[in-house]
Amino acid sequence: MLIFLLARIMHTMLYRLDGFQTGTPLMLGQLLATAAEAVMALPAVIWFSKRRENPAAALGAGASRAVSTAYALYFTVIAGVTVALFAEFLQTKFSDTVMPGVAAAILCASAAYCAWGGIEGLGRAATVVFWLFVGMFVLMAAVSEGSFEPLNLLPFSEGDGGRTAGYLTESLSSAWWIPMLCALGHHLKSGAAKAAYGYLIMKFAIVETLLLLITLVLWRYVGVLGYPILALGAYAKSDFIQRFDAINMLVWAINCVLVLGVYVMIGSGAFKKPKPGAVFAAAAAAAFGWWQYKRGVKFDEPWYICFKLCGIILLGIILPLTALALLGRKKENAL
Amino acid sequence: MKKAFAALFAALILLTGCEAGEVQRRIVVHALGIDPAGEGYTVSYQIFTGGGGADSGPVDANEQTVITLEADGATLYDAEKNLGLETGREVFLGDVELIVVSRELAGTKLFDLLQYVGRTDIYPGVNVIYCNGRAKDVIGEKLERGAATALLLRGIVQSAVSSCTACSSRIIELSNTVLSDGGARAVPVLTLEKEGDPGEDSSVSPVKIGIYESLVISREGVAGSLSDGGVTGLRLLSCDASDIDAELDTPFGPASVNITGIKAKRRISIEDGRPALRVYIAGKYKVKSAPAKISEEELKILCEKELLRLCGAACRESAESGADFIGLGKLLRKYEPGYYSLNSGDLGGAVKTAVFYVRACLRKY
Amino acid sequence: MERKSLLPRLEGNISGIKALFGGSADLNVMRVEISGIRCAVLTLEGMVSSSALAQMLFGPLMRFEKRNASPADVFAYVSQRAIFSVEGYATADFSDAAERLCSGFALILIHGCDRGWAVSAQGYEKRAVSEPDSEPNIKGTREALSDNLRTSLALLRRRVKSPKLRFEFLKAGRLSNTDLCLVYIEGRTPKKLIERTKKRLESFGGDLCLTSGGIVSCLSEKRSLFSGVSTTERPDVLCAKINEGRIAVLIDGVPFAAVCPALFIENFQAVDDYADEAFFATYQRFIRFSAFFISTLLPGLYVAAAVHHPEVLSRSVLLNLIASEERTPYPLVAEMLIVIIMFEILREAGIRLPRAIGGAVSIVGGLVIGDAAVTSGLISAPLLIIIGITATSAFVVPGLNPQMTVLRIVNVLLGGALGFFGVAVLSAVALVSACRTDCFAVPYTAPLTPFTFKAMRDVITRAGGLQKKREMLIENMNGASEGGGKA
């Protein structure tokens, strides 16, 4: 569950919106997206309540292989774009620190190493990284010099419908945790339902809290800084730490390695041997990420949103639905 | 494969990081002073010069360890770049404590400044203030009080803000009000006048240093000015004042009071087609010194009248300038969205016609 | 390998054993005649006690008199009627006989008998029970495990006076044939763990087993930065660990026991925690956790912040840093590496040299060289302070010293080259490396992650109350009882 959450936080971190406007339309969009995701996750949740194996396994050996390849491609692309967006972030905010190409290569190499250890190591590390996030936010809040401005929170008006719809679409396309659930669900000890709905509740609470904080404290200044979560630390200052941007980046980078490790691990599923598979998937993600960085990828590009949505529908909804139908037919035949 | 992997990793690490300079190769800037120079800027940088050969003991920014350097540029980026070229070092702005802008630049090119500071390491909580005269003179002044000018000036601004004679003008606040919402903000103006002939000695003690005025800045430029009393009124009307000192003229002589624990509530409505802001101010007053003959009740009434006077000054400036530094636009947008959407194109007109009802109710501390 | 049986001829047996030892000079052969039957007592020099032999073996042997005694009579007397020692074994082949001799037994060979009798008479020189130098404490025991396996077993038995404390002997090392002893408490340690440990130890492939390192790597499941097997030289710690369901391996000739499964958080626990008040022990744990992070991360973060992210540093720190760095000739990263390596050399010298000289080296290194380096402007004072804090912190958590040392140096390199990004990448890799380390299905990072609430009362805090409430069996620390934690 925490892996899904960290992947979502990673995605939220890499939002880059110049002229970003927060407020109730976005908060409403998030609410609607969470409700829709709860419904979209149902087939996967039902499947894992019946069987403790990947839904692709129900399709037979050949189809299962094809599905594994599809998963690998899907998550390699997502890993690549994540790498590109992170490199873009480093280039924008820490241009003197590390070259984007080197950063991309190091991220993918580290992700490959993390993927070698399997999902258990990544899952356990996710708990630590999650608490690291919590600690960072608490620390930033404790030393923040900002104050709340309730007037920034405007009621929803008719003219905000377009923004809400746009954010809803974008948010839904960010729901690749559903295909992730299908790929990793059989590892979940606590059950898919608990993980899925626990994730949705936590995601909703975290994202809405972030949006509320940004709206009340920072308002439109977020647009100047570009990265909403980075902007959260704009007012934070203490006698020990003058600026929190680099501290934020440190935690982001840890999270990025971990999340990329999960993507690479799923990406290596298409290979018979996991270790060379992880290296190959990581190398592919690095190459794709570098290409995307060079061509200036944006997280809200239409092709990327369509790609993500198609993956969610095919691998996260249709695949478990098909597996459920096949399972039902098998039972009927058995009777 | 593992060896190749490790070699690649090591090579990547060794290939990078070359651009980063050593820490002592950076110029640490404590304050920026921005003056106009034709179409561009002359920027004064108060910088740290190093330990000055001190062998031991802590080092801090003081008049021995800071100097002021100047650089010209068509833009602020150019000026920074030129400073770097002149000194052969990388300019580090992460330690900037204050940005002083010449009054001549007030209202113009504010967007440039905010955009510039938003993209540098400058802490967004840094105050931007205007100054009478040249910013270079303020930044380069030696105040003979031990600490560097930047720190002293920052202290002066903070004191003025906490005593409600100036508004906080941090980069984030300026950005959010002036640039984003079509609002306005009262930016403090620093006054620094010296005694004697400035040509003789540059380190003479100033006789007058402080913030006695604020300029109302909107997107269009300077919309007006507020005295320190007007700023206190503005802070009261904006529910942003909690503690103020007041000097009262009583029939028996002057009295000093401290009004503390101030709580204000605002309510906006539309009356006769124009905005009406009702402000209720409550608090406690503490007598510091007062003539013996004056009664408690009289003192209370005088305190309340003083609050109304201060608010009146802000209201008058608001009505005259049409600049929304009180935040009427935000109130209207939230509580009267219909009126706001109709008048958002001419918010200044709405502000000019707005009526204010202020009620103050104090009790003795 | 074919085991060659002993012969009925005494000379043949003696020459056979001599051949087996290759004429080794420490093989003593003492020929005696018992009731007219030629016999020989074989021992290895220094492995047996001469006085014990004289009292318990030669005395009774010389007293045996029987007319027309046959070799079988003598063997029957030696093996059944005379009680020379608490341990005695019949040997029928040369290999077994040689092994017994190597273990400090005296071997009695009788002419006309194709068997020998091995009598336990170990009496080699051994060190007295010493203090646990590597795990000192204030209020705990002053006894450490001994090089001598039997002494170590006695130290354990004295602390756990229960028949449930079990010792099982194994051998390791093709040439050394070292005695190993599995120690566990019946009913507490899972049977699976015992079986798997035995299997692992049986697969020990080395010729010699001279240190605990070989056993630790034999028991470790994966190669990783962190190990799921720990070592201790304290008998009280060992007893506490096996009481939690762990298994320990004692090695003859090594005063350290290997214990598995080991947890990351155990490195932050000390014997004195249980002797002090709970609140103070909790505070000490906090100090140890802080010391770990300071020792691992501080130099790297310092370099990264100074070189790449000076905006993080507060004004006074930054200005002092600049003022002191202006006087030094080397780049900060190089300076940091030089000081770290210098410190490591001094530490190594302090360990290897005799204690009296070791202390002098520390003084010369720490005070004289450090002061001279700062005064001459080679090293900046803040950097020396950072290394001083780091080095002191490293001593607080000795169990993780190898990991901390390596991570510290790599952190400095990555922090200098890539700033906080480099530190973050290394931290992520180290974190995942620790999290994926398992030992016999118990995660190394338990009970922090996977989280086990019940075990937390003895992790970050040391909760007060009854000992019973604190104890938790190691097999339950996989997070399963708490409903997951693994994705």
Side-chain angles (χ1 to χ4, degrees):
Chain A
M1 180 182 82
L2 289 178
I3 283 179
F4 301 153
L5 205 61
L6 289 179
R8 183 64 173 83
I9 291 174
M10 189 71 238
H11 175 65
T12 309
M13 282 169 173
L14 296 174
Y15 275 132
R16 170 130 179 83
L17 290 165
D18 292 315
F20 180 69
Q21 292 194 356
T22 61
T24 36
L26 268 60
M27 295 174 75
L28 183 69
Q30 185 56 231
L31 175 69
L32 294 174
T34 308
E37 284 173 41
V39 178
M40 286 156 69
L42 271 175
V45 168
I46 294 169
W47 167 261
F48 283 113
S49 69
K50 291 178 185 296
R51 301 289 288 267
R52 208 181 158 91
E53 61 181 356
N54 198 314
L59 305 179
S64 174
R65 182 117 188 110
V67 170
S68 297
T69 310
Y71 269 121
L73 280 174
Y74 184 67
F75 282 101
T76 304
V77 168
I78 287 179
V81 176
T82 306
V83 167
L85 292 173
F86 196 85
E88 168 75 20
F89 160 69
L90 285 176
Q91 182 59 24
T92 312
K93 295 290 169 189
F94 302 94
S95 54
D96 291 343
T97 304
V98 52
M99 289 186 279
V102 174
I106 288 175
L107 280 174
C108 289
S110 315
Y113 173 80
C114 294
W116 283 353
I119 192 66
E120 294 226 325
L122 288 164
R124 288 173 201 152
T127 312
V128 179
V129 177
F130 177 74
W131 287 109
L132 203 62
F133 264 113
V134 173
M136 188 186 72
F137 284 129
V138 169
L139 182 68
M140 288 198 306
V143 298
S144 177
E145 291 179 353
S147 54
F148 293 113
E149 172 56 280
L151 288 178
N152 289 348
L153 196 65
L154 301 173
F156 187 79
S157 64
E158 282 178 19
D160 293 329
R163 282 176 63 203
T164 303
Y167 185 71
L168 174 65
T169 314
E170 203 287 309
S171 198
L172 281 180
S173 75
S174 313
W176 63 75
W177 68 275
I178 301 173
M180 263 169 94
L181 178 69
C182 291
L184 304 173
H186 54 289
H187 293 291
L188 289 165
K189 286 191 173 177
S190 54
K194 202 173 162 185
Y197 295 110
Y199 158 76
L200 281 174
I201 291 166
M202 286 185 78
K203 178 206 88 168
F204 179 70
I206 289 172
V207 176
E208 291 286 19
T209 308
L210 289 176
L211 283 171
L212 192 68
L213 281 175
I214 288 167
T215 307
L216 292 179
V217 180
L218 294 159
W219 192 226
R220 303 268 163 88
Y221 190 72
V222 177
V224 177
L225 290 185
Y227 292 96
I229 295 190
L230 192 72
L232 270 179
Y235 263 127
K237 186 178 186 178
S238 74
D239 289 341
F240 295 101
I241 300 172
Q242 184 117 322
R243 293 287 301 274
F244 276 78
D245 290 5
I247 308 285
N248 259 305
M249 184 268 277
L250 187 132
V251 181
W252 290 26
I254 293 178
N255 190 27
C256 191
V257 172
L258 198 73
V259 171
L260 284 175
V262 178
Y263 296 157
V264 167
M265 201 205 71
I266 301 173
S268 67
F271 299 87
K272 280 183 182 170
K273 289 182 179 174
K275 283 190 178 180
V279 174
F280 189 81
F288 184 71
W290 179 242
W291 175 52
Q292 289 300 316
Y293 170 76
K294 279 297 196 191
R295 60 167 287 272
V297 70
K298 297 272 181 288
F299 79 95
D300 55 352
E301 278 188 40
W303 78 264
Y304 187 46
I305 289 182
C306 288
F307 176 80
K308 287 187 292 183
L309 278 172
C310 288
I312 292 163
I313 293 165
L314 287 172
L315 300 171
I317 301 172
I318 293 178
L319 174 67
L321 273 178
T322 314
L324 278 170
L326 287 172
L327 190 70
R329 197 180 292 172
K330 265 185 195 170
K331 275 188 183 170
E332 274 177 23
N333 290 342
L335 286 171
Chain B
M1 194 177 73
K2 278 180 187 171
K3 281 180 187 168
F5 197 63
L8 180 71
F9 199 76
L12 286 173
I13 290 163
L14 292 172
L15 282 171
T16 191
C18 302
E19 290 171 40
E22 285 294 312
V23 66
Q24 67 270 25
R25 301 276 308 149
R26 294 173 195 243
I27 300 175
V28 180
V29 180
H30 297 306
L32 286 178
I34 304 170
D35 288 306
E39 285 298 301
Y41 303 95
T42 297
V43 186
S44 310
Y45 299 86
Q46 189 184 83
I47 62 161
F48 178 69
T49 57
D55 286 335
S56 60
V59 179
D60 205 349
N62 56 45
E63 58 187 39
Q64 275 85 44
T65 58
V66 297
I67 56 165
T68 304
L69 294 180
E70 272 178 59
D72 293 331
T75 64
L76 294 167
Y77 289 104
D78 283 343
E80 184 189 326
K81 199 173 80 183
N82 289 338
L83 179 71
L85 290 171
E86 282 168 23
T87 57
R89 291 183 173 197
E90 193 184 335
V91 180
F92 173 64
L93 297 168
D95 200 44
V96 168
E97 305 275 359
L98 190 69
I99 299 170
V100 183
V101 183
S102 168
R103 190 174 184 150
E104 290 173 52
L105 282 171
T108 60
K109 298 180 177 175
L110 183 66
F111 183 76
D112 289 352
L113 173 67
L114 293 179
Q115 200 184 34
Y116 169 71
V117 293
R119 290 181 182 171
T120 61
D121 286 333
I122 296 175
Y123 173 56
V126 163
N127 279 295
V128 177
I129 60 167
Y130 290 117
C131 69
N132 289 315
R134 284 169 61 83
K136 178 199 163 190
D137 298 336
V138 174
I139 291 293
E141 186 57 69
K142 289 206 185 298
L143 294 173
E144 292 184 342
R145 295 185 196 180
T149 314
L151 307 182
L152 277 174
L153 295 181
R154 190 192 63 175
I156 289 168
V157 174
Q158 281 175 345
S159 299
V161 171
S162 56
S163 63
C164 291
T165 54
C167 281
S168 163
S169 58
R170 296 195 276 201
I171 291 164
I172 297 181
E173 292 156 348
L174 278 176
S175 182
N176 276 340
T177 49
V178 181
L179 298 184
S180 307
D181 287 339
R185 189 135 191 120
V187 180
V189 180
L190 187 89
T191 304
L192 192 145
E193 288 173 8
K194 284 193 284 187
E195 189 176 55
D197 181 6
E200 288 172 9
D201 184 4
S202 61
S203 63
V204 290
S205 298
V207 287
K208 192 179 177 190
I209 178 165
I211 291 165
Y212 308 104
E213 186 193 4
S214 292
L215 289 180
V216 176
I217 306 293
S218 69
R219 189 185 271 270
E220 286 75 31
V222 179
S225 71
L226 283 167
S227 65
D228 51 356
V231 174
T232 311
L234 159 64
R235 300 274 302 262
L236 284 165
L237 291 172
S238 311
C239 308
D240 188 27
S242 61
D243 188 280
I244 58 173
D245 289 316
E247 302 296 324
L248 307 175
D249 282 329
T250 73
F252 309 102
S256 292
V257 290
N258 171 241
I259 302 168
T260 185
I262 298 170
K263 298 259 187 280
K265 278 185 184 172
R266 298 195 292 184
R267 187 180 296 165
I268 198 150
S269 57
I270 305 299
E271 288 179 6
D272 303 330
R274 55 188 189 166
L277 180 71
R278 286 183 163 75
V279 184
Y280 305 93
I281 302 167
K284 296 170 196 168
Y285 69 94
K286 202 191 285 181
V287 182
K288 298 271 176 115
S289 72
K293 289 180 185 172
I294 194 162
S295 70
E296 286 293 333
E297 188 57 29
E298 281 173 313
L299 208 56
K300 175 177 173 286
I301 290 166
L302 281 170
C303 285
E304 289 171 350
K305 275 187 179 169
E306 175 64 9
L307 290 183
L308 296 181
R309 185 188 71 77
L310 293 169
C311 292
C315 294
R316 269 192 300 280
E317 181 57 38
S318 170
E320 281 171 20
S321 64
D324 181 26
F325 53 84
I326 296 172
L328 288 177
K330 273 191 170 182
L331 284 165
L332 286 170
R333 193 175 52 190
K334 182 151 189 179
Y335 298 109
E336 297 290 345
Y339 180 87
Y340 178 79
S341 58
L342 281 175
N343 294 280
S344 58
D346 181 26
L347 201 61
V351 171
K352 276 183 179 171
T353 59
V355 285
F356 296 88
Y357 301 97
V358 184
R359 204 176 136 193
C361 182
L362 299 177
R363 59 194 172 89
K364 193 161 189 292
Y365 187 76
Chain C
M1 195 180 79
E2 197 188 335
R3 297 175 79 90
K4 201 175 162 193
S5 301
L6 288 173
L7 310 167
R9 288 187 306 108
L10 180 65
E11 290 309 321
N13 285 336
I14 290 171
S15 55
I17 288 172
K18 275 187 173 174
L20 213 56
F21 279 93
S24 181
D26 63 340
L27 180 68
N28 292 335
V29 182
M30 187 175 181
R31 292 165 202 277
V32 290
E33 200 163 291
I34 303 167
S35 289
I37 306 290
R38 284 189 294 123
C39 299
V41 178
L42 281 74
T43 57
L44 281 176
E45 183 71 42
M47 294 294 286
V48 292
S49 161
S50 309
S51 59
L53 271 184
Q55 281 175 17
M56 72 183 193
L57 186 66
F58 294 122
L61 279 179
M62 291 301 109
R63 282 198 293 275
F64 177 68
E65 279 183 21
K66 189 181 176 187
R67 280 188 187 179
N68 302 324
S70 67
D73 293 333
V74 177
F75 187 81
Y77 172 74
V78 167
S79 61
Q80 291 163 20
R81 285 166 55 197
I83 301 170
F84 302 121
S85 170
V86 289
E87 271 185 281
Y89 303 96
T91 63
D93 59 68
F94 283 99
S95 303
D96 187 40
E99 278 172 26
R100 297 285 175 201
L101 282 170
C102 290
S103 301
F105 281 72
L107 182 67
I108 306 166
L109 295 174
I110 302 156
H111 183 72
C113 184
D114 59 357
R115 285 182 295 167
W117 186 253
V119 181
S120 166
Q122 288 96 334
Y124 34 78
E125 291 302 314
K126 62 188 178 198
R127 205 158 47 93
V129 173
S130 61
E131 286 203 22
D133 289 335
S134 66
E135 295 169 76
N137 71 108
I138 299 166
K139 296 180 181 172
T141 179
R142 296 284 188 273
E143 288 179 332
L145 292 174
S146 168
D147 291 333
N148 184 277
L149 186 60
R150 314 278 158 168
T151 312
S152 296
L153 297 185
L155 288 171
L156 296 177
R157 181 63 78 183
R158 264 173 41 206
R159 284 169 175 80
V160 184
K161 298 182 184 75
S162 162
K164 286 189 174 176
L165 175 67
R166 299 291 158 84
F167 299 121
E168 279 189 39
F169 283 97
L170 295 167
K171 295 271 187 194
R174 278 190 296 266
L175 290 178
S176 64
N177 230 355
T178 310
D179 282 327
L180 303 179
C181 182
L182 287 184
V183 186
Y184 59 91
I185 293 180
E186 182 69 35
R188 293 222 163 211
T189 307
K191 285 205 165 64
K192 242 185 202 171
L193 176 59
I194 301 167
E195 291 310 314
R196 287 173 71 180
T197 310
K198 277 187 199 168
K199 224 178 200 176
R200 284 276 173 79
L201 291 173
E202 279 161 10
S203 70
F204 182 87
D207 287 339
L208 304 173
C209 179
L210 301 177
T211 63
S212 56
I215 296 299
V216 167
S217 58
C218 172
L219 291 174
S220 300
E221 292 192 354
K222 295 173 198 162
R223 284 178 66 186
S224 169
L225 182 64
F226 298 90
S227 171
V229 184
S230 67
T231 57
T232 182
E233 64 167 338
R234 297 187 64 91
D236 50 352
V237 170
L238 191 57
C239 290
K241 286 187 190 251
I242 59 173
N243 190 37
E244 288 174 346
R246 291 179 172 84
I247 191 163
V249 182
L250 289 167
I251 307 147
D252 193 26
V254 178
F256 284 87
V259 186
C260 63
L263 304 179
F264 175 71
I265 51 105
E266 285 171 357
N267 296 295
F268 303 93
Q269 296 167 344
V271 177
D272 287 327
D273 291 355
Y274 303 94
D276 288 323
E277 291 293 331
F279 70 88
F280 186 64
T282 302
Y283 165 73
Q284 283 179 311
R285 293 247 167 111
F286 171 75
I287 294 293
R288 283 183 213 119
F289 277 108
S290 309
F292 171 73
F293 289 110
I294 286 171
S295 175
T296 312
L297 294 172
L298 185 65
L301 288 177
Y302 177 79
V303 168
V307 178
H308 294 278
H309 311 287
E311 73 277 5
V312 169
L313 303 172
S314 67
R315 192 188 69 249
S316 52
V317 174
L318 179 64
L319 299 188
N320 277 293
L321 178 65
I322 290 171
S324 46
E325 282 302 318
E326 273 179 348
R327 293 200 293 272
T328 59
Y330 302 115
L332 188 61
V333 181
E335 208 181 317
M336 182 65 89
L337 286 173
I338 288 168
V339 179
I340 288 179
I341 291 168
M342 200 172 81
F343 160 70
E344 290 297 330
I345 290 169
L346 288 171
R347 190 181 64 86
E348 196 62 19
I351 294 169
R352 304 286 165 227
L353 285 168
R355 274 187 194 177
I357 307 171
V361 166
S362 304
I363 292 166
V364 170
L367 296 177
V368 181
I369 298 178
D371 187 53
V374 173
T375 315
S376 64
L378 282 173
I379 306 288
S380 70
L383 190 137
L384 209 62
I385 294 168
I386 294 285
I387 288 296
I389 297 168
T390 304
T392 314
S393 300
F395 294 127
V396 177
V397 193
L400 289 171
N401 193 45
Q403 289 83 359
M404 286 194 294
T405 306
V406 171
L407 287 174
R408 188 186 310 140
I409 292 175
V410 183
N411 253 327
V412 169
L413 284 170
L414 287 177
L418 306 170
F420 281 178
F421 175 74
V423 177
V425 168
L426 182 66
S427 303
V429 167
L431 175 67
V432 173
S433 177
C435 287
R436 76 185 197 191
T437 303
D438 277 348
C439 186
F440 299 112
V442 176
Y444 179 63
T445 47
L448 294 169
T449 173
F451 187 73
T452 311
F453 181 74
K454 277 184 191 169
M456 290 304 286
R457 52 174 56 231
D458 196 22
V459 176
I460 295 169
T461 64
R462 199 222 90 189
L466 298 169
Q467 178 81 11
K468 192 180 169 187
K469 284 188 178 176
R470 283 206 307 268
E471 286 164 6
M472 184 167 180
L473 292 185
I474 191 81
E475 62 179 321
N476 297 331
M477 287 197 194
N478 55 10
S481 57
E482 296 294 321
K486 294 171 189 173

